[in-house]
Amino acid sequence: MTDDGETRQPRDETRAEADIPAPAAGPVAAATGAATATVPNGARRAALSEGRRSERRLGWLLCLPAAVIMVVVTIYPIVYAILLSLQRADLRFPNDNKWVGLTNYVTVLTNSFWWHAFAITMIVTVISVAVELVLGMALAMVMHRTLLGRGVVRTLALIPYGIVTVVAAYGWRYAWTPGYGYLANVLSDNSAPLTQQAPAVGIIILAEIWKTTPFMALLLLAGLAIVPDDLQRAASMDGASTWQRFTQVTLPLMKPAILVALLFRTLDAVRIYDNIYVLTNGAQGTSSLSILTYHNLIGGLNLGIGSTMSILMFITVAIIAFIFIKGFGTAAPGSDNAGRR
Amino acid sequence: MATTTRQRTGWSIANVVVAIYALIPVLWLLSLSLKDPSTFTDGHFIPRKWTFDNYVSIFQVGGFLRPLVNSIGIGLISTLVAIVFGTFAAYAIARLQFPGKRLMLGASLLIAMFPQVSLVTPMFQIERQIGLFNTWPGLILPYITFALPLTIYTLSAFLREIPWELEKAAKMDGATPFQAFRQVIVPLAMPGVITTAILAFIMCWNDFVFAISLTSSNRARTAPAAISFFTGASQFEDPVGSIMAAAVVITIPIIIFVLIFQRRIVSGLTSGAVKG
């Protein structure tokens, strides 16, 4: 890491200087150039590294509190979870703790409940993210292009984002509960969709889509704002239809924004918990990985199995993130210094 | 002219669709919370018999005040700490050259993607051992941790946009470095900090996984978790009215936030997430 930083630094610095517009940049750059030419190499390096060293120290110092908290609260527990996952650790039988190696992993990975929850999680993730992408794009277009009442539209669209997931989920639950709900009555007489697997999963997906489409739309809106109007106009003069302009001009330019939105939402959907907890609590085979893990831990008090599931979930998320970042390269946030000044 | 009118109509229709999309489920919550218990099961969208009893009862009988105070307190403290430390780190990342910068950004991103449930198992055990289980700090710590990546990303994007030459100019005009920072940079950075604080607060306010697994009573349980533990007057009664009233109560602050800060939230989310 240090090496990496060392080698990259000079390049960054030149870029930083070049990026400063304004008159200030010119003379400064020129002065640095002149210094390079006249001052002997060794002396210059010593002088620079003094300033650079203090900058480095300050950088580390400023990052320290945040880094310490993040490490203590995540890295330490994760190490602890790995250790727990290799033990038989069941709070109901506290005297029976012992090392069991990978037995817990075998137990979980050969269990149909795990794979069922895995399948449900993936179904919910794929369908909701796909629908959200389309709906979110439409919503972003409305937010971007609308002429009258732009503020009102944006405010309204943000409401689902602000609402607590659990609250929204209760709303959907009672909307679909026979007797209480306006939607259950619409469907047919006294059907109870939340008590059957497929309709229940459908409602979970619906609740997820309603809640998070605005978030997706906001990320896409940022991408839309990047697309220059001139380009659209030029394309339209060349005779491109609205659809052609959308697919040939807008979409390619928005690629980074789309990929970021997809990555964020996919990882978020894989962790789905609140919605399912409220809507079915995992009944009728609608458990997600998070629900299953939670039930084993808090319900079953089986820390060993719970930890094993935690680690496996972490690995699942890491694999998805890896595929996204590898597949999309520089589009991932933080993967490059684009936009740095 | 014809096209403009048609376009205007088209967008207006789109706006109405968005409004319906966003508002119907919210109005439904409101409607249920205002229904008299005897009319819960009529399935009507608009209450036939209005009452505020559900609201009165969650505070008088349901003890909802404590979780509400917990939510506000825990949310504010977590946000404050995350903002202070996040601003430090974001400043360093936006302005300084130091090795380990990418590591810092990478680690933040990793934590932002972390499945919270993966942390629940070990934290449940660790917090029970060191006595943080069911306390405010027991929730504040994970909240800070998950708010930090958000603040670091959003704020460093904001800070990059600040014209830092102004600081230099102020110093040339005779300001001390602290004066230059205090009087030039801080006012410019403030809107970004406020936006980020709102986003972080919404995140803490919204959390459910940690709130139900790291608490066991109203001592530290936050409002969303408390709602899920509401019980009806009898074992067989569904506490619909209480749940909905509480739901509306914890939705109001967020809607007010959104109404006031809509513009800032939009720019905060968009600049932070995509340019970061």
Side-chain angles (χ1 to χ4, degrees):
Chain A
M1 198 64 217
T2 315
D3 279 346
D4 194 28
E6 287 289 358
T7 49
R8 211 180 42 255
Q9 241 167 19
R11 202 188 64 214
D12 276 352
E13 226 154 62
T14 33
R15 202 167 76 191
E17 272 168 15
D19 276 356
I20 298 172
V28 172
T32 324
T36 320
T38 50
V39 179
N41 220 359
R44 182 178 151 264
R45 188 173 295 158
L48 256 187
S49 67
E50 182 48 43
R52 199 183 283 172
R53 221 182 296 145
S54 71
E55 182 173 336
R56 212 184 262 188
R57 255 200 312 272
L58 183 62
W60 283 334
L61 207 66
L62 288 174
C63 284
L64 193 69
V68 167
I69 293 187
M70 292 197 290
V71 167
V72 169
V73 182
T74 57
I75 310 295
Y76 176 64
I78 279 299
V79 172
Y80 189 82
I82 293 173
L83 294 177
L84 272 177
S85 74
L86 300 172
Q87 299 172 44
R88 189 189 135 82
D90 193 327
L91 286 183
R92 289 166 303 172
F93 312 102
N95 299 324
D96 249 8
N97 275 15
K98 61 171 187 237
W99 288 90
V100 293
L102 293 175
T103 314
N104 285 335
Y105 288 87
V106 175
T107 310
V108 172
L109 289 174
T110 53
N111 191 302
S112 64
F113 282 109
W114 169 263
W115 291 110
H116 191 90
F118 191 87
I120 293 286
T121 308
M122 290 307 146
I123 290 170
V124 171
T125 302
V126 170
I127 298 179
S128 62
V129 173
V131 175
E132 278 169 32
L133 182 64
V134 176
L135 273 185
M137 187 61 95
L139 188 56
M141 286 289 196
V142 174
M143 284 158 90
H144 186 63
R145 293 262 166 230
T146 205
L147 306 164
L148 297 166
R150 194 186 215 169
V152 177
V153 172
R154 287 186 173 183
T155 306
L156 286 174
L158 272 175
I159 288 176
Y161 167 72
I163 285 194
V164 174
T165 317
V166 177
V167 166
Y170 271 112
W172 289 111
R173 177 169 136 186
Y174 289 120
W176 290 102
T177 305
Y180 292 113
Y182 62 109
L183 290 173
N185 294 354
V186 170
L187 260 193
S188 66
D189 300 313
N190 281 330
S191 70
L194 282 170
T195 58
Q196 296 160 315
Q197 189 188 15
V201 172
I203 292 172
I204 288 166
I205 293 173
L206 174 83
E208 185 75 359
I209 291 172
W210 181 77
K211 169 84 174 87
T212 49
T213 297
F215 181 71
M216 181 77 111
L218 278 170
L219 298 185
L220 295 175
L221 181 66
L224 270 180
I226 297 169
V227 180
D229 275 349
D230 297 354
L231 224 55
Q232 297 275 12
R233 229 167 283 140
S236 127
M237 278 181 181
D238 288 345
S241 68
T242 313
W243 179 248
Q244 277 173 331
R245 265 182 289 150
F246 179 68
T247 53
Q248 309 286 320
V249 180
T250 311
L251 278 186
L253 284 169
M254 280 184 68
K255 197 177 154 207
I258 294 175
L259 298 177
V260 170
L262 280 180
L263 172 69
F264 274 41
R265 276 300 309 138
T266 304
L267 293 178
D268 217 30
V270 171
R271 302 185 284 199
I272 184 170
Y273 181 83
D274 317 17
N275 264 334
I276 300 185
Y277 178 95
V278 170
L279 286 167
T280 63
N281 200 9
Q284 291 92 39
T286 55
S287 271
S288 69
L289 291 178
S290 288
I291 294 271
L292 188 68
T293 307
Y294 179 85
H295 279 171
N296 273 281
L297 168 71
I298 304 289
L301 293 174
N302 196 332
L303 298 178
I305 295 288
S307 300
T308 307
M309 289 177 167
S310 301
I311 299 296
L312 287 171
M313 238 194 109
F314 179 52
I315 294 172
T316 309
V317 166
I319 291 173
I320 294 173
F322 181 79
I323 293 170
F324 263 93
I325 289 171
K326 269 288 158 225
F328 304 137
T330 53
S335 65
D336 68 347
N337 276 333
R340 231 188 57 82
R341 277 187 198 158
Chain B
M1 192 62 211
T3 30
T4 8
T5 319
R6 213 173 62 204
Q7 272 176 354
R8 202 167 286 176
T9 324
W11 289 121
S12 303
I13 292 170
N15 290 357
V16 173
V17 172
V18 172
I20 291 172
Y21 173 87
L23 287 181
I24 295 278
V26 182
L27 292 177
W28 165 244
L29 295 176
L30 192 63
S31 146
L32 262 189
S33 76
L34 291 171
K35 275 185 183 176
D36 186 274
S38 63
T39 61
F40 275 148
T41 52
D42 64 3
H44 288 299
F45 198 92
I46 298 162
R48 297 288 150 99
K49 247 170 106 181
W50 298 66
T51 172
F52 282 99
D53 288 354
N54 297 321
Y55 289 88
V56 177
S57 86
I58 56 168
F59 287 106
Q60 283 182 351
V61 189
F64 191 59
L65 191 62
R66 185 65 212 254
L68 204 58
V69 170
N70 289 341
S71 258
I72 295 169
I74 293 173
L76 286 181
I77 296 174
S78 312
T79 306
L80 192 74
V81 178
I83 282 292
V84 170
F85 291 161
T87 310
F88 288 169
Y91 176 84
I93 285 165
R95 289 280 292 156
L96 305 175
Q97 283 304 322
F98 60 98
K101 191 157 128 173
R102 283 158 71 95
L103 182 69
M104 185 75 193
L105 274 173
S108 313
L109 190 64
L110 195 72
I111 288 165
M113 294 167 172
F114 225 77
Q116 286 97 332
V117 166
S118 290
L119 269 192
V120 159
T121 319
M123 287 209 81
F124 173 71
Q125 188 70 341
I126 294 169
E127 292 205 345
R128 279 176 349 116
Q129 279 163 8
I130 59 176
L132 282 183
F133 184 73
N134 201 26
T135 63
W136 277 30
L139 281 182
I140 289 172
L141 271 176
Y143 288 177
I144 294 174
T145 309
F146 279 90
L148 269 175
L150 179 86
T151 52
I152 292 174
Y153 266 93
T154 319
L155 265 175
S156 59
F158 265 113
L159 293 181
R160 271 184 212 131
E161 304 296 321
I162 289 180
W164 292 91
E165 307 90 79
L166 285 179
E167 192 187 20
K168 219 177 281 170
K171 275 190 228 162
M172 280 181 182
D173 289 345
T176 65
F178 181 73
Q179 277 175 331
F181 183 74
R182 169 80 194 70
Q183 292 177 0
V184 178
I185 298 305
V186 170
L188 286 173
M190 224 41 213
V193 173
I194 292 172
T195 306
T196 314
I198 294 166
L199 296 178
F201 186 77
I202 289 181
M203 207 182 80
C204 301
W205 189 255
N206 194 14
D207 170 75
F208 184 65
V209 180
F210 290 123
I212 62 163
S213 34
L214 300 178
T215 60
S216 58
S217 73
N218 273 358
R219 188 174 151 206
R221 194 174 275 154
T222 58
I227 290 178
S228 75
F229 285 100
F230 275 164
T231 47
S234 78
Q235 193 187 340
F236 304 102
E237 197 182 309
D238 213 354
V240 193
S242 319
I243 289 178
M244 286 301 137
V248 171
V249 169
I250 67 170
T251 301
I252 290 168
I254 291 299
I255 294 206
I256 293 173
F257 266 144
V258 167
L259 287 179
I260 299 176
F261 296 108
Q262 171 268 126
R263 207 177 289 265
R264 287 187 172 169
I265 296 175
V266 169
S267 67
L269 267 179
T270 50
S271 68
V274 178
K275 289 185 199 151

